[in-house]
């Protein structure tokens, strides 16, 4: 009999939370819940979803204790795992992260380029505060962070809390891509595993195989030579997300050796992406008018009800499922395989030891154990060295409040390169973010 767990969701005001609850429901027979706490300092958003979430959990996991709170002690004191999905600055700041760079003819994206820099600077401070709050009342909780941009956050937390082995930073994009590969192969996703290397949102698949050692890598590559790459749930995705996947085919037309993470498009085709972007209507607006609108409307229909009735239970087929599978693998010591983020420490011997790399590996009670990858080729090493330098300078800029390092970070980023543009966008982002971070 598996032990019942206490979990806390930080950033519970996210419109993704109801679908995450749907994943908790789907996994309830194998991931046992004793108590679930929804924590967010912005009660305006959580209040829109609370009734709906309570009704779902009352129907599906009736014995679980359910708490909505803004009290940090209540949120953290007896949590076994804290699942973090916060967005410092909410949708309003995301919109500026996307629109300000576009004004300068630069990629406007929430995790890559100058927008990712601004978001990262906000996230670092919020995450450091959160870890300190958790450790003040709970030394043993697993902190499972999905807050973006994960690469920058992971590097910052590793520098500030180098000895805390129960902080893990994760990303759902490799998991999502494996779901798409499984659909191409017409095989269950969990029958497949991958070999992967890189940095977060900046990496490559080099093998896809089953647990009997049969490789399907060439089959996927051959399929992509004649078919447009689409996410497994293409019919549910917005037009901009379909474009993100489509450019995998374009990347492969130049560099067919490895299958790229979809986010590499921003670094290889930035001018094309800027040209196609609407500076007045970006993904922040798209999310607000589609996913958020639909989620909040469904949740509003639960108000005044005593039971769920015929209301749909939203499901989290990628983001939510990964979060629960990761927590399950750790808390029940399953050592299941994932693409994980760890300190390099010679896993890639010709890359900086202190870098946070993203590799295939296992998760259990001893934490993250990545598989050694080996030396990487000059092309990939060169790309990763530049990206890592950007990440490191961003973290140092925040910790030291150093304007020069911030300018260096943006200038070295492949989406910018031009120091004149780097300075112009940095100054605008600094003004927009003055309530979150400052530089001198």
């Amino acid at each position: 009999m598996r032990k019942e767990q206490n979990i806390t969701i930080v950033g519970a005001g996210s419109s993704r939370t109801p679908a995450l609850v749907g994943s908790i429901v789907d996994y309830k027979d194998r991931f046992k819940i004793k108590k679930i706490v929804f924590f967010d300092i912005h009660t305006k958003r959580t209040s829109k979803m609370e009734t709906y979430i309570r009704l779902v959990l009352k129907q599906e996991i009736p014995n679980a204790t359910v708490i909505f709170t803004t009290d940090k002690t209540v949120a953290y004191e007896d949590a076994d795992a804290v699942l973090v999905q916060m967005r410092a600055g909410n949708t309003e700041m995301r919109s500026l992260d996307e629109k300000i760079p576009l004004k300068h003819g630069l990629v406007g994206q929430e995790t890559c380029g100058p927008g990712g820099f601004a978001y990262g600077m906000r996230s670092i401070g919020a995450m450091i505060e959160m870890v300190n709050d958790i450790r003040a009342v709970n030394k043993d909780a697993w902190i499972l962070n999905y807050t973006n941009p994960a690469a920058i956050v992971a590097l910052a937390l590793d520098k500030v809390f180098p000895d805390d082995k129960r902080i893990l930073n994760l990303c759902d994009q490799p998991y999502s891509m494996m779901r798409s590969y499984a659909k191409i192969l017409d095989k269950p996703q969990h029958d497949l595993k991958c070999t992967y290397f890189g940095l977060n949102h900046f990496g490559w698949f080099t093998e896809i195989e089953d647990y009997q050692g049969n490789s399907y890598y060439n089959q996927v590559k051959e399929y992509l030579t004649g078919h447009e790459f689409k996410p497994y749930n293409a019919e549910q995705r917005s037009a901009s997300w379909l474009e993100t996947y489509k450019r995998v085919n374009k990347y492969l037309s130049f560099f067919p050796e490895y299958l790229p993470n979809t986010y590499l498009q921003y670094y290889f085709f930035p001018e094309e992406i800027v040209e196609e972007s609407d500076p007045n209507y970006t993904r922040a607006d798209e999310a607000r008018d589609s996913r958020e609108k639909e989620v909040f409307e469904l949740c509003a229909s639960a108000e005044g009800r005593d039971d769920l009735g015929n209301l749909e239970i939203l499901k989290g087929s990628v983001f939510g499922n990964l979060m629960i599978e990761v927590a399950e693998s750790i808390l029940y010591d399953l050592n299941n395989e994932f693409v994980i983020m760890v300190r390099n420490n010679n896993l890639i011997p010709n890359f900086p030891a202190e870098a946070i790399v993203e590799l295939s590996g296992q998760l259990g009670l001893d934490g993250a154990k990545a598989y050694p990858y080996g030396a990487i080729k000059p092309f990939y090493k060169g790309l990763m060295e530049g990206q890592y330098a950007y990440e490191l300078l961003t973290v140092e800029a925040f910790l030291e409040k150093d304007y020069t390092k911030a300018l260096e970070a943006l200038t070295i980023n492949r989406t910018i390169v031009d120091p004149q543009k780097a300075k112009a966008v940095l100054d605008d982002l600094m003004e927009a973010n003055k309530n979150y971070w400052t530089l001198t």
Side-chain angles (χ1 to χ4, degrees), residues 42-59:
H42 298 287
T43 56
K44 182 178 179 181
R45 290 178 66 88
T46 52
S47 64
K48 293 181 178 181
M49 299 180 284
E50 181 174 352
T51 299
Y52 171 80
I53 290 170
R54 285 187 179 277
L55 289 178
V56 170
L57 292 171
K58 176 185 175 182
Q59 174 179 295

Side-chain angles (χ1 to χ4, degrees), residues 261-331:
N261 189 299
T262 56
Y263 283 87
L264 282 170
Q265 67 155 344
Y266 297 106
Y267 301 99
F268 280 83
F269 311 113
E271 293 179 359
E272 175 183 314
I273 289 170
V274 170
E275 183 67 27
E276 293 177 3
S277 299
D278 183 346
N280 300 308
Y281 192 87
T282 62
R283 274 193 178 167
D285 304 298
E286 194 174 65
R288 180 199 63 218
D289 294 341
S290 55
R291 184 186 71 224
E292 283 200 8
K293 182 174 181 291
E294 292 163 6
V295 168
F296 288 141
E297 285 178 352
L298 174 63
C299 291
S301 66
E303 294 297 331
R305 300 177 67 127
D306 295 322
D307 59 65
L308 197 63
N310 61 353
L311 292 183
E312 173 190 6
I313 298 179
L314 295 174
K315 302 292 184 177
S317 56
V318 167
F319 182 73
N321 285 13
L322 175 64
M323 293 175 87
I324 302 307
E325 287 180 26
V326 163
E328 176 195 33
S329 189
I330 292 170
L331 294 173

Side-chain angles (χ1 to χ4, degrees), residues 215-273:
S215 176
Y216 300 95
Y217 191 68
N218 288 335
Q219 187 175 336
V220 171
K221 289 213 300 183
E222 287 168 9
Y223 175 90
L224 292 177
T225 61
H227 299 83
E228 183 180 293
F229 187 34
K230 295 181 180 180
Y232 72 95
N233 58 348
E235 67 283 351
Q236 300 170 22
R237 293 292 189 103
S238 60
S240 62
W241 263 109
L242 296 180
E243 289 297 321
T244 297
Y245 277 72
K246 190 184 300 183
R247 285 193 180 91
V248 166
N249 299 80
K250 183 169 184 174
Y251 170 97
L252 289 171
S253 71
F254 292 97
F255 308 108
E257 184 175 24
Y258 300 146
L259 294 170
N261 189 299
T262 56
Y263 283 87
L264 282 170
Q265 67 155 344
Y266 297 106
Y267 301 99
F268 280 83
F269 311 113
E271 293 179 359
E272 175 183 314
I273 289 170

